[in-house]
Amino acid sequence: MKTYLIEKYGDQSAVHAAELPDPQPGPEDVLVEIHAASVNPLDFKIRDGAFKRILPYRLPLVLGNDLAGVVVRVGSAVTRFAVGDEVYARPDKDRIGTFAELIAVHQDDLAPKPAALTMAQAASLPLVALTSWQALVDRAQVRPGQKVLIHAGSGGVGTIALQLARHLGAHVATTASAANAALVKELGADVVIDYRTQDFEQLLEGYDVVLDTLGGETLEKSLRVLKPGGKVISIAGPPDADFARELGANPVLRQAMNALSFRTRRRAKRHGVTYSFLFMKADGGRLRELTRLVDAGHIHPVVDRVFPFDRTRDAMEYAEKGRAKAGKVVIAMK
């Protein structure tokens, strides 16, 4: 099968096409012919080696973290899927590799593809939709009437998180460019802060939840717009000890991650709020719930551009350089 992989960590030049043997599914695995995959910032971090201490992959490594496709074979113990089913997924972190023609995915990580979506649209959703759900529903437990700030509302996570927060009944603010103000309002934002000309810290206060997708100074300022008891959930800030425990990291690595987030957690405590780092998990059950929301019209994907499979490197470069105006960049194998 054709793939795009890395044999060493590095910049975009490390990514190249290669032929590999077709994967062989285990008893509980589903072999999926991939029709489309999408590009995520996580792909760049894995390629660069930024996560090599946390996620010690064996090289060569096929990149790619979400997909949509058709089942072509099932393992002997698979009960939920059959050959010919249209599915989508974010594979488990230890079994990534969706920039390929085929992948074997555990049945627990798969879900039926939303019926109304194309393969490209469906492929844009799993990682960002699961991130949004795990942040806003599982961790923040957002309730109707609460105030939620979602940073980078026109980004991959932001476009889905805005819609989910609106569905949950929250009052939603977001940061975005003026050019994308109309889009993020349509997606669910009640308040739009132009990050180029306005300082959200000066305009917002008393928020219950912040979903931070940017880290750095944005994360620091976010602590100050929360009311006492509020929560900042970050996918871009420093990892913490809870994340290390979820990974099953050794005591030394747990201590190191705890030290990385110590300053942020201390500042949060001073403001009477909490900070936590989120690294989303593969979860076919949650993805099924999201499928129902998509099919009911509560969530729809935002796709910026679709590249053919033989231009995977171009797709990654386009996304990494921030050329996408809104939503996701998708790679189409079919």
Side-chain angles (χ1 to χ4, degrees):
M1 67 173 181
K2 183 178 179 180
T3 70
Y4 278 85
L5 53 73
I6 57 170
E7 296 181 88
K8 61 180 180 179
Y9 293 115
D11 59 19
Q12 187 60 20
S13 65
V15 181
H16 65 92
E19 293 285 337
L20 289 180
D22 292 353
Q24 299 302 308
E28 295 190 76
D29 290 342
V30 175
L31 185 65
V32 179
E33 180 185 57
I34 301 173
H35 285 219
S38 70
V39 181
N40 295 282
L42 179 60
D43 299 314
F44 314 135
K45 293 178 181 179
I46 291 173
R47 180 205 65 199
D48 294 345
F51 284 165
K52 62 185 177 182
R53 291 187 62 194
I54 299 172
L55 302 171
Y57 291 114
R58 293 179 60 186
L59 303 178
L61 174 69
V62 180
L63 298 173
N65 282 274
D66 47 13
L67 68 104
V70 175
V71 175
V72 293
R73 196 190 316 169
V74 296
S76 58
V78 170
T79 58
R80 300 173 194 162
F81 299 95
V83 172
D85 287 349
E86 295 188 341
V87 295
Y88 71 152
R90 190 286 202 230
D92 183 77
K93 61 180 173 53
D94 297 324
R95 301 182 62 178
I96 69 169
T98 64
F99 295 169
E101 293 176 315
L102 294 164
I103 191 171
V105 183
H106 195 283
Q107 66 173 337
D108 289 348
D109 299 335
L110 275 175
K113 180 184 77 67
L117 300 187
T118 65
M119 287 291 183
Q121 290 173 322
S124 75
L125 282 176
L127 187 144
V128 296
L130 285 170
T131 298
S132 301
W133 184 283
Q134 290 167 15
L136 299 178
V137 178
D138 294 339
R139 191 165 295 187
Q141 299 178 347
V142 171
R143 302 184 302 277
Q146 287 191 312
K147 295 168 69 175
V148 176
L149 167 61
I150 296 167
H151 285 295
S154 63
V157 171
T159 53
I160 305 304
L162 285 174
Q163 296 175 74
L164 181 57
R166 175 175 62 183
H167 174 69
L168 296 171
H171 171 89
V172 188
T174 193
T175 53
S177 67
N180 284 322
L183 171 66
V184 295
K185 285 181 179 178
E186 180 184 343
L187 294 174
D190 299 292
V191 177
V192 181
I193 307 297
D194 181 352
Y195 69 86
R196 289 194 175 103
T197 62
Q198 297 175 300
D199 184 349
F200 73 90
E201 183 189 359
Q202 302 300 318
L203 298 171
L204 305 178
E205 64 179 358
Y207 274 67
D208 298 278
V209 177
V210 176
L211 174 53
D212 167 48
T213 61
L214 301 171
E217 184 182 4
T218 298
L219 171 57
E220 296 293 335
K221 288 183 174 183
S222 295
L223 299 172
R224 300 191 284 269
V225 304
L226 289 166
K227 70 180 185 182
K231 301 175 182 178
V232 171
I233 300 164
S234 178
I235 61 173
D240 54 19
D242 287 340
F243 169 59
R245 281 191 289 272
E246 290 175 8
L247 280 180
N250 62 53
V252 174
L253 189 53
R254 286 204 301 268
Q255 187 174 6
M257 289 191 192
N258 207 37
L260 285 173
S261 61
F262 174 75
R263 178 183 172 190
T264 301
R265 289 183 290 107
R266 183 177 61 183
R267 289 188 173 184
K269 188 174 182 180
R270 286 176 180 167
H271 291 286
V273 302
T274 59
Y275 165 79
S276 64
F277 174 76
L278 175 69
F279 189 91
M280 62 75 58
K281 303 172 188 173
D283 190 330
R286 288 284 187 260
L287 207 50
R288 285 173 182 268
E289 295 182 59
L290 285 156
T291 297
R292 286 192 284 271
L293 292 182
V294 173
D295 285 339
H298 298 302
I299 289 177
H300 67 269
V302 179
V303 175
D304 178 88
R305 186 171 172 183
V306 180
F307 286 79
F309 190 31
D310 61 5
R311 292 187 61 198
T312 292
R313 283 166 53 99
D314 293 337
M316 293 184 68
E317 182 178 6
Y318 178 85
E320 187 172 18
K321 290 187 175 180
R323 294 175 182 163
K325 294 179 176 64
K328 296 291 292 294
V329 176
V330 174
I331 297 163
M333 287 68 174
K334 297 288 182 181

